[in-house]
């Protein structure tokens, strides 16, 4: 897709305006209701759909398909990232009225990081076609790692700070409580960070890891920097509201890691095939409509199986609790009572 500098500037200005609106909405710390989160989630998704449809109307049908495939992939990866955000919020006991401010700054950091990664990725791809092999291998490895982690069934109810974050905390010091939206305060004459600043640093560092996974994934669907950037931007915008909307649903998506592993593995194979094709090897070329069908189908199946599994687990837990309540005292407890 041939995009002029004028279109780039207008797009960035438009996205910046949307971000400013989002910041204006969330400038005052408050508890976000499900209704508020639902309305704005629909608004952001509708804007993404309008943008993709607009590309098709302008005669860029291929670009439109690539945008929707990239948007859905990045959105699904973002939902998985929300798991980590939930753990970070719990780790630092972030007050509910401050969580939206943390998420807003986190999204801004993610947008900047994605823009840098996209520029670097586009430059590398333009000069070294063999990088597709590396991207493909990385995504296949990531898919395998996701499956291993899901099968391990490890306890992920906690999140540990990395060494860099701990060193920053040691260097600057951290206040013992939150001070509204302040990031630094004076404590006994020394300027120290507030817990809110620590949380934002944790979110920002996590965003770096997320970008490493997501950028190769979307470059496997399109090599157009404009589509890569806009798909990422629309996927990230509205992530704050989505956090409050599906916070309770996240724990029910028990098969999400399996679904994402299939998607990343599929895109990884697609990248390798693309690299072979570019080198003159006669291999099947995976089309965007087929990619979109696979990604959408995997997400639908994953969501359905997750909800069914969660429902069965909840029913099993309820039955177990009911049996525990109706069961009589154990032999040891009976002997203790009789004595």
């Amino acid at each position: 897709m041939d995009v002029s500098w004028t279109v780039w500037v207008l797009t960035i200005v438009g996205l910046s305006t949307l971000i400013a609106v989002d910041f204006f909405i969330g400038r005052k710390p408050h508890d976000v209701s499900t209704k508020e989160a639902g309305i704005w989630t629909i608004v952001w998704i509708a804007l993404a759909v309008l943008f993709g449809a607009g590309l098709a109307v302008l005669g860029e049908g291929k670009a439109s398909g690539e945008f929707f495939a990239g948007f859905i992939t990045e959105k699904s990866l973002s939902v998985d990232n929300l798991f980590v955000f939930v753990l970070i919020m719990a780790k630092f006991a972030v007050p509910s009225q401050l969580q939206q401010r943390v998420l807003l700054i986190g999204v801004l950091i993610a947008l900047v990081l994605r823009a840098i990664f996209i520029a670097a990725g586009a430059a590398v791809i333009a000069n070294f076609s063999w990088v597709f092999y590396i991207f493909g291998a990385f995504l296949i490895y990531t898919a395998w790692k996701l499956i291993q982690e899901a099968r391990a069934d490890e306890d992920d109810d906690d999140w540990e700070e990395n060494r860099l974050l701990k060193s920053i905390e040691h260097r600057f010091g951290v206040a013992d409580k939150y001070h509204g939206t302040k990031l630094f305060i004076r404590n006994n004459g020394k300027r120290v960070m507030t817990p809110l600043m620590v949380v934002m640093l944790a979110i920002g560092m996590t965003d770096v890891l997320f970008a490493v996974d997501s950028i190769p994934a979307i470059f496997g669907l399109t090599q157009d920097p404009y589509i890569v950037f806009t798909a990422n931007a629309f996927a990230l915008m509205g992530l704050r509201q989505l956090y409050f909307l599906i916070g309770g649903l996240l724990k029910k998506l028990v098969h999400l890691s399996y679904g994402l592993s299939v998607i990343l593995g599929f895109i990884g194979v697609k990248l390798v095939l693309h690299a072979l094709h570019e080198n003159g090897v006669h291999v099947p070329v995976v089309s965007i409509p087929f990619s979109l069908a696979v990604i959408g189908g995997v997400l639908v199946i994953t969501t359905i199986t997750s909800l069914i599994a969660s429902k069965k687990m909840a029913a099993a837990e309820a039955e177990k609790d009911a049996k525990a309540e109706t069961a009589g005292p154990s032999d040891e407890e009976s002997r203790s009572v009789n004595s």
Side-chain angles (χ1 to χ4, degrees), residues 14-26 44 104 108 237:
L15 291 174
S16 298
T17 302
L18 292 175
I19 294 172
V21 171
D22 194 25
F23 184 84
F24 178 79
I25 294 170
W44 292 122
L104 180 59
L108 291 176
M237 289 191 300

Side-chain angles (χ1 to χ4, degrees), residues 58-70:
L58 294 175
E60 298 290 346
K62 181 174 181 291
S64 177
E66 292 176 347
F67 170 80
F68 282 118

Side-chain angles (χ1 to χ4, degrees), residues 220-232:
L221 297 169
T222 176
Q223 287 79 58
D224 189 328
Y226 182 76
I227 300 300
V228 173
F229 176 73
T230 51
N232 265 277

Side-chain angles (χ1 to χ4, degrees), residues 11 23 29 38 43 93 102 115 117 131 139 170 193 195 215 226 255 279:
T11 301
F23 184 84
V43 168
V102 172
F117 276 60
V131 77
L139 290 178
H170 179 73
M193 299 187 301
I215 296 304
Y226 182 76
H255 294 161
N279 291 330

Side-chain angles (χ1 to χ4, degrees), residues 65 69-70 72-73 76-77 132 135-144 146-147 216-223 257-275 284-299:
I72 294 173
T73 299
S76 60
L77 288 171
F132 285 113
F135 280 2
F138 175 76
L139 290 178
I140 293 172
Y141 168 74
T142 303
W144 175 81
L146 278 175
I147 292 177
I218 194 169
F219 268 117
L221 297 169
T222 176
Q223 287 79 58
S257 292
Y258 291 105
L260 290 177
S261 67
V262 173
I263 292 173
L264 292 179
F266 167 76
I267 296 175
V269 172
K270 182 178 184 296
L271 274 172
V272 173
L273 292 175
H274 176 78
V285 177
V286 182
S287 67
I288 287 299
F290 181 75
S291 298
L292 192 56
V294 170
I295 294 169
V298 169
L299 290 176

